[in-house]
Amino acid sequence: MLNGEYGEVIRKCMEILVKIGDIYNADKLIPIESAQIAGVSYLTVGDAIFSFFRMLTKEPVKVKVPTWLNPAGMDMRQWKYMNINEQFANKQLKIINTYKKLGIETTLSCTPYLIGKIPKQGSHLAWSESSAIAMANSYFGAKTNREGGPSSLAAAITGLTANYGLHIDENRNPIVYVKVESELNTYSDFALLGYWYGEKFHGKIPLFSGINDFSVIPAKYLSSAIAASGSVALYHVEGKTPESKEVSKQYVEESIVFDDIERKEVIEKLQTRLKEIELVVIGCPHVGIEELDLILSYCKDKELKKGTKLWVFMARALMERKEVAERIRKLAEKNIRIFSDTCMVVSPAIRENFTKIATNSAKAYFYLSMVENMEVVFLSLKEILEQICK
Ligand code: F3S
């Protein structure tokens, strides 16, 4: 491939992988089971992506493994409602169509695991969205580094990745032991734990103990928060995550407790006072059915207060499932809007049209609070709904 026997495009892709492998002293290339490509939203990739695409589409190459796309900058059906302009929409469409030509499934979601794309334990992947990476490594026990958009695409096209970092078992051992003494009752509690840890121990793999209930949705909140505040790609939860029994504690350098004092500190940081909320955004990462049910149960006999909007983001493939349709109808009756294919962070719709935002996602808080003139508050779903419903 590197010699160009399979064409120029594959040669270039292989060159990317070999360069990365050289930087990290990889001993070989290994086959991957799937790839997940970030770098889809025109907001984040800009026009630079088109020159990369020109190179990739010179020859008719296709991805070699199942490959999925991260959210784009707009809902493909409701972009006008989102106030997206036509120029943006056309460029976004062009990006998605190019990925499609390469044989990539246009799932446009950061939660492939909620729409049946579940990575096998022990399998090697090349995923590039940070929360999905932390989920794949931690919750599912698969193996992926934090790939960039071009490197995951190069891996998808060749079916290979360089063997370094989290592909190697001995690099997956915990460095920090965290005793969780604060009760984790809500999804937001998991987000708080992740955010707190990530800020304190940037990049270090933790082993959490004391977490009793751990399923895919709480894991999603923990994964996205820990990846956003600390670029952590792998964590273990004692007795819960697949590798927690196998990993060695001999590399642990530090032990720490997460109790109610730590929890309060991180809450105070994230819960800046907001007198008025214009828009509530839920679904970072994209929501599962359980979260829709929670919203419906809180809002049961209530209406949204006038002037407040509630937008929920979820994978289109989940939204289109039969069992979800009735829930969506009930949410629509309450003026709660569901969007697919995009999210509050990678779409310009939020940053260009709103300045006072509430979210139950620590990751969305992390990125939106960096946007100029944006005031963001992090609250639990229940707290948010109590404020905006009557
Ligand atoms: Fe997903 Fe967007 Fe959050 S890609 S993890 S919803 S920032």
Side-chain angles (χ1 to χ4, degrees):
M1 288 185 193
L2 193 59
N3 288 339
E5 283 172 35
Y6 298 87
E8 180 57 14
V9 176
I10 290 184
R11 189 194 69 73
K12 276 255 162 63
C13 289
M14 186 50 88
E15 199 177 72
I16 293 173
L17 299 179
V18 168
K19 271 199 183 131
I20 294 171
D22 283 346
I23 292 169
Y24 291 103
N25 279 327
D27 58 344
K28 58 182 174 186
L29 290 160
I30 46 172
I32 55 163
E33 188 193 73
S34 66
Q36 189 245 359
I37 316 284
V40 182
S41 167
Y42 178 60
L43 176 76
T44 55
V45 293
D47 287 319
I49 196 143
F50 295 114
S51 55
F52 186 52
F53 279 170
R54 269 193 291 281
M55 181 283 284
L56 279 178
T57 49
K58 263 188 205 155
E59 295 157 356
V61 295
K62 293 261 188 243
V63 291
K64 280 213 171 67
V65 294
T67 304
W68 311 297
L69 281 189
N70 216 37
M74 62 188 204
D75 185 302
M76 301 307 284
R77 295 184 195 160
Q78 304 182 81
W79 58 270
K80 282 197 179 141
Y81 177 87
M82 294 181 95
N83 227 356
I84 300 281
N85 67 53
E86 212 137 315
Q87 194 199 3
F88 184 99
N90 288 338
K91 296 219 172 173
Q92 187 60 77
L93 208 60
K94 207 170 149 194
I95 294 172
I96 292 170
N97 284 338
T98 309
Y99 281 127
K100 215 190 250 176
K101 265 191 216 145
L102 292 168
I104 298 171
E105 267 186 71
T106 53
T107 47
L108 302 174
S109 176
C110 50
T111 53
Y113 49 86
L114 293 183
I115 51 171
K117 322 279 189 200
I118 296 173
K120 272 197 225 95
Q121 190 180 339
S123 63
H124 296 277
L125 323 170
W127 285 22
S128 60
E129 193 284 311
S130 68
S131 75
I133 291 165
M135 280 299 284
N137 277 318
S138 316
Y139 191 77
F140 296 105
K143 296 171 185 180
T144 176
N145 286 317
R146 281 168 63 98
E147 299 287 348
S151 67
S152 56
L153 199 49
I157 288 172
T158 57
L160 298 164
T161 193
N163 189 38
Y164 71 95
L166 293 178
H167 291 291
I168 296 170
D169 286 347
E170 65 199 40
N171 296 336
R172 299 176 65 89
N173 292 311
I175 310 293
V176 182
Y177 184 75
V178 186
K179 204 163 172 231
V180 179
E181 288 183 354
S182 179
E183 272 187 45
L184 306 180
N185 296 319
T186 66
Y187 298 148
S188 303
D189 290 335
F190 285 88
L192 288 170
L193 171 65
Y195 195 91
W196 165 83
Y197 178 85
E199 266 202 329
K200 262 196 155 49
F201 297 100
H202 208 269
K204 291 186 176 173
I205 300 170
L207 171 63
F208 294 109
S209 73
I211 299 181
N212 301 322
D213 290 322
F214 198 61
S215 55
V216 69
I217 303 295
K220 180 169 78 86
Y221 280 88
L222 175 57
S223 298
S224 55
I226 206 167
S229 68
S231 305
V232 175
L234 165 65
Y235 59 84
H236 305 286
V237 177
E238 227 164 43
K240 302 287 175 193
T241 53
E243 285 168 89
S244 65
K245 273 198 198 110
E246 295 156 22
V247 289
S248 162
K249 288 189 196 146
Q250 64 167 313
Y251 303 100
V252 169
E253 293 165 358
E254 210 173 328
S255 294
I256 190 162
V257 173
F258 178 77
D259 58 18
D260 289 342
I261 298 169
E262 307 280 349
R263 183 178 181 278
K264 202 169 157 238
E265 264 171 36
V266 64
I267 286 183
E268 276 167 8
K269 200 178 281 178
L270 271 55
Q271 292 192 346
T272 42
R273 298 277 157 251
L274 246 192
K275 281 199 205 102
E276 182 201 341
I277 299 169
E278 287 173 337
L279 176 70
V280 172
V281 283
I282 308 292
C284 172
H286 281 171
V287 292
I289 296 175
E290 294 88 329
E291 290 152 287
L292 295 184
D293 287 342
L294 211 55
I295 298 173
L296 281 169
S297 73
Y298 285 144
C299 297
K300 210 167 159 209
D301 310 309
K302 296 180 185 145
E303 298 296 329
L304 286 191
K305 280 185 194 160
K306 227 177 158 201
T308 311
K309 290 185 158 70
L310 171 50
W311 288 8
V312 178
F313 296 86
M314 73 188 300
R316 186 168 297 282
L318 190 60
M319 189 178 167
E320 287 176 347
R321 279 193 197 160
K322 237 211 234 136
E323 70 268 31
V324 179
E326 179 59 12
R327 292 170 167 97
I328 305 259
R329 195 191 56 73
K330 285 187 184 155
L331 289 165
E333 273 174 12
K334 307 253 170 217
N335 277 329
I336 297 170
R337 195 101 189 181
I338 311 286
F339 293 97
S340 289
D341 317 318
T342 186
C343 82
M344 60 288 259
V345 174
V346 301
S347 172
I350 285 80
R351 56 190 74 201
E352 286 176 5
N353 298 301
F354 302 94
T355 54
K356 295 177 178 60
I357 307 273
T359 183
N360 70 334
S361 161
K363 177 173 178 178
Y365 169 89
F366 182 82
Y367 286 106
L368 291 176
S369 55
M370 285 181 201
V371 176
E372 213 184 331
N373 297 327
M374 187 76 97
E375 289 178 70
V376 190
V377 64
F378 167 91
L379 294 164
S380 72
L381 196 49
K382 188 166 180 256
E383 286 166 329
I384 290 177
L385 295 169
E386 276 169 1
Q387 271 200 39
I388 65 163
C389 296
K390 61 169 188 283

